[in-house]
């Protein structure tokens, strides 16, 4: 049963459409990889499904809610409550320690500091970066930073994690490690993952690959 569905999505930034009728669905707990050439519309599709970007045409459904029918404020609130995000460059707050970075989404939801830091510590352990808790993002490696970013994305127990090239800035060994930990911990937490990647070795950790080409999306089975 689908948790998140995008139907016939269109989006243009200029004369050439970035999305030209893309449809995709994600089931609860499923890890889906969006693959395809650079400029084919993968990030635009991810942003539309995440409710960050409003499509020109088409609809996005999350459970029984039509995301595309919500106000910006209601969409932002739903995003904070139900979704987690990981980007190519961790986008951690440089002034905060890694522990404080992971605890931040909980603090914004008014979880008391002690409880927030306890849960953040559990996620740092889970992502095998216990030792960076007291360090600031500038003092750790790229691979450690992405694992901290994954911990921050999962700490709120999201139903869907959106990951846009989460391993794009890492070498292949660290990239695979981050992806393995992301896929494993999302599965344990019961979160679905929608991932953009152009690396087959990263996509190999997904349950299903969807190929995006010229702004349209097709499951790999349909392509074959
Ligand atoms: P991919 O993720 O597959 O590389 P994108 O979704 O980033 O593809 O981009 C699809 C097309 O839309 C590209 O031609 C890109 O230049 C264009 N595009 C994406 N975002 C913007 C934007 N914010 N402003 C203008 N053009 C954009
Ligand atoms: P609100 O205005 O209610 O906060 P929006 O959906 O307008 O909600 O935007 C929420 C977040 O999404 C903001 O952090 C904003 O920077 C980001 N955002 C909005 N539009 C884009 C876009 N085209 N590309 C990338 N990020 C965007």
């Amino acid at each position: 049963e689908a948790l998140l569905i995008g139907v016939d999505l269109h989006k243009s930034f200029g004369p050439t459409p970035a999305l030209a009728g893309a449809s995709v669905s994600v089931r609860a707990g499923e890890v889906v990889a969006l693959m395809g050439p650079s400029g084919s519309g993968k990030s635009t599709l991810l942003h539309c499904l995440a409710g960050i970007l409003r499509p020109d045409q088409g609809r996005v459904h999350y459970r029984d809610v039509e995301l595309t029918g919500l106000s910006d404020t209601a969409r932002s609130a739903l995003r904070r409550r139900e979704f987690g995000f990981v980007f190519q460059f961790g986008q951690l707050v440089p002034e905060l320690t890694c522990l404080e970075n992971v605890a931040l989404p909980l603090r914004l939801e008014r979880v008391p500091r002690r409880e927030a830091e306890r849960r953040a510590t559990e996620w740092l352990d889970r992502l095998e970066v216990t030792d960076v808790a007291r360090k600031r993002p500038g003092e750790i490696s790229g691979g450690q930073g992405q694992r901290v970013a994954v911990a921050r994305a999962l700490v709120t127990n999201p139903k869907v994690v959106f990951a846009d090239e989460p391993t794009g800035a890492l070498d292949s060994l660290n990239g695979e490690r981050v992806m393995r930990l992301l896929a494993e911990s999302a599965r344990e937490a019961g979160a679905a993952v929608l991932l953009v990647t152009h690396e087959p070795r990263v996509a190999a950790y997904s349950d299903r690959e969807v190929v995006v080409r010229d702004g349209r999306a097709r499951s790999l089975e349909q392509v074959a």
Side-chain angles (χ1 to χ4, degrees):
E1 197 195 326
L3 180 68
L4 179 69
I5 311 176
V7 185
D8 194 28
L9 299 172
H10 293 251
K11 180 74 187 179
S12 292
F13 299 100
T16 314
L19 291 183
S23 298
V24 67
S25 67
V26 179
R27 289 185 279 271
E30 187 183 33
V31 180
V32 175
L34 298 178
M35 303 280 290
S38 179
S40 58
K42 302 183 296 295
S43 289
T44 304
L45 180 56
L46 181 111
H47 287 124
C48 285
L49 290 165
I52 289 173
L53 204 56
R54 196 187 281 279
D56 300 331
Q57 239 189 85
R59 292 186 315 276
V60 176
H61 297 271
Y62 171 72
R63 293 180 150 170
D64 53 352
V65 181
E66 188 186 332
L67 271 191
T68 33
L70 296 179
S71 69
D72 284 353
T73 311
R75 226 160 7 100
S76 296
L78 185 143
R79 258 201 319 269
R80 268 197 303 277
R81 209 171 54 238
E82 309 275 323
F83 298 164
F85 293 89
V86 184
F87 301 100
Q88 183 170 358
F89 303 99
Q91 298 183 349
L92 301 171
V93 181
E95 293 80 9
L96 299 181
T97 66
C98 290
L99 180 67
E100 288 165 344
N101 265 282
V102 177
L104 186 60
L106 297 173
R107 298 291 288 144
L108 294 175
E109 297 295 323
R110 296 169 206 280
V111 174
R113 177 184 298 273
R114 188 166 301 195
E115 168 69 8
E117 295 200 342
R118 188 187 62 75
R119 285 167 60 183
T121 301
E122 283 178 9
W123 278 105
L124 287 172
D125 292 348
R126 183 70 195 76
L127 274 296
E128 302 174 3
V129 277
T130 313
D131 44 325
V132 305
R134 303 287 162 198
K135 294 190 174 171
R136 285 174 219 286
E139 302 170 311
I140 64 175
S141 73
Q144 289 173 325
Q146 287 306 80
R147 284 184 272 150
V148 172
V150 171
R152 184 184 54 182
L154 285 164
V155 77
T156 53
N157 293 319
K159 295 292 186 299
V160 188
V161 175
F162 295 89
D164 196 350
E165 297 276 11
T167 65
L170 304 177
D171 62 57
S172 59
L173 198 68
N174 275 303
E176 280 192 53
R177 186 171 185 204
V178 166
M179 188 55 215
R180 177 177 58 76
L181 288 165
L182 169 59
E184 279 177 8
S185 34
R187 280 198 182 98
E188 272 175 36
V193 178
L194 185 67
L195 158 84
V196 166
T197 184
H198 59 265
E199 298 171 86
R201 297 208 313 178
V202 169
Y205 288 90
S206 69
D207 300 312
R208 191 158 59 88
E209 295 178 18
V210 171
V211 175
V212 181
R213 196 155 282 154
D214 299 330
R216 292 192 182 84
R218 306 203 276 172
S219 285
L220 204 55
E221 307 89 78
Q222 292 170 271
V223 172

